[in-house]
Amino acid sequence: MTDYDALAARIRALTEGETDEVALMATLACEIHQSDDRFDWTGFYRVVAPELLKIGPYQGGHGCLVIPFSRGVCGAAARTGQVQLVPDVDAFPGHIACASSTRSEIVLPFWGKDGRLIGVLDIDSDQPDAFTDEDAARLAAILEEVFAHV
Ligand code: SME
C-alpha cells in the first residue's frame, strides 16, 4: 500500500510555489507512479476544448492521445465530476484499453481555482481490483492541495 503521508510530503516539497500545470502534472505522474507497484500506468488527461481531453504527462507505456468526454473511464470522470473506481475494466462499458494487460483503474477529476476542470488523473493496474476508497480519498486530497490555487 502507498505511504500517502510520505508521498504527499514529497510532492508538497517538490511543487512548493509552482503554478505551471505541466510541471505540476509531470512531477505528480513521476512521484505517484514510483510510489506503488500496483500503479502500472500513471498520467494525466487535460481538458483542451469543451468535452475533450488530451493526454498530458504520464509514466508507463504509450497512452491514447485524445478522449472525448463521451468515452472511456476518463471521459466518465470528466463528464460526471466523480471519481471512477473500476475494479474490473472489462466490466466497464466503453473502457478504452491502452494496454491489454490493464485489469483495474482509478480516474480522478481535478479542478483549479474558480472551479475550472483542469483534467483527470488516470492510474491503471495490471492487478484486478487494485484500488481502494483510501486511494481515492488520498489521491483526491493531493490533487486538491496541488491544483486548487492554479
Ligand atoms: N483507460 C482509459 C484510457 C486511458 S489509457 O488507460 C492510458 C479510459 O478508458 O478512459
Side-chain angles (χ1 to χ4, degrees), residues 36-52:
D36 197 309
D37 290 343
R38 291 176 295 156
F39 305 164
D40 293 297
W41 193 97
T42 308
F44 290 89
Y45 282 86
R46 301 161 297 125
V47 179
V48 296
E51 311 286 310
L52 189 64

Side-chain angles (χ1 to χ4, degrees), residues 128-148:
D129 199 11
F131 303 101
T132 66
D133 290 337
E134 182 188 5
D135 291 311
R138 296 302 299 269
L139 290 167
I142 288 170
L143 290 166
E144 161 81 19
E145 180 176 341
V146 171
F147 288 99

Side-chain angles (χ1 to χ4, degrees), residues 41 45 55 61-64 67 71-76 89 92 94-99 102 105 107 122 124:
W41 193 97
Y45 282 86
I55 201 162
H62 69 272
C64 56
I67 301 177
R71 292 195 60 222
V73 185
C74 292
V89 295
F92 188 96
H95 168 255
I96 300 169
C98 292
T102 300
E105 185 165 4
V107 182
D122 179 15
D124 295 340

Side-chain angles (χ1 to χ4, degrees), residues 36-118:
D36 197 309
D37 290 343
R38 291 176 295 156
F39 305 164
D40 293 297
W41 193 97
T42 308
F44 290 89
Y45 282 86
R46 301 161 297 125
V47 179
V48 296
E51 311 286 310
L52 189 64
L53 296 165
K54 186 162 284 190
I55 201 162
Y58 65 92
Q59 302 267 319
H62 69 272
C64 56
L65 299 184
V66 178
I67 301 177
F69 280 30
S70 57
R71 292 195 60 222
V73 185
C74 292
R79 186 171 68 246
T80 65
Q82 300 294 314
V83 174
Q84 304 294 311
L85 217 170
V86 182
D88 175 6
V89 295
D90 292 334
F92 188 96
H95 168 255
I96 300 169
C98 292
S100 58
S101 58
T102 300
R103 291 290 171 268
S104 58
E105 185 165 4
I106 186 170
V107 182
L108 303 95
F110 62 101
W111 295 265
K113 60 185 177 191
D114 307 328
R116 175 178 59 93
L117 179 67
I118 298 175

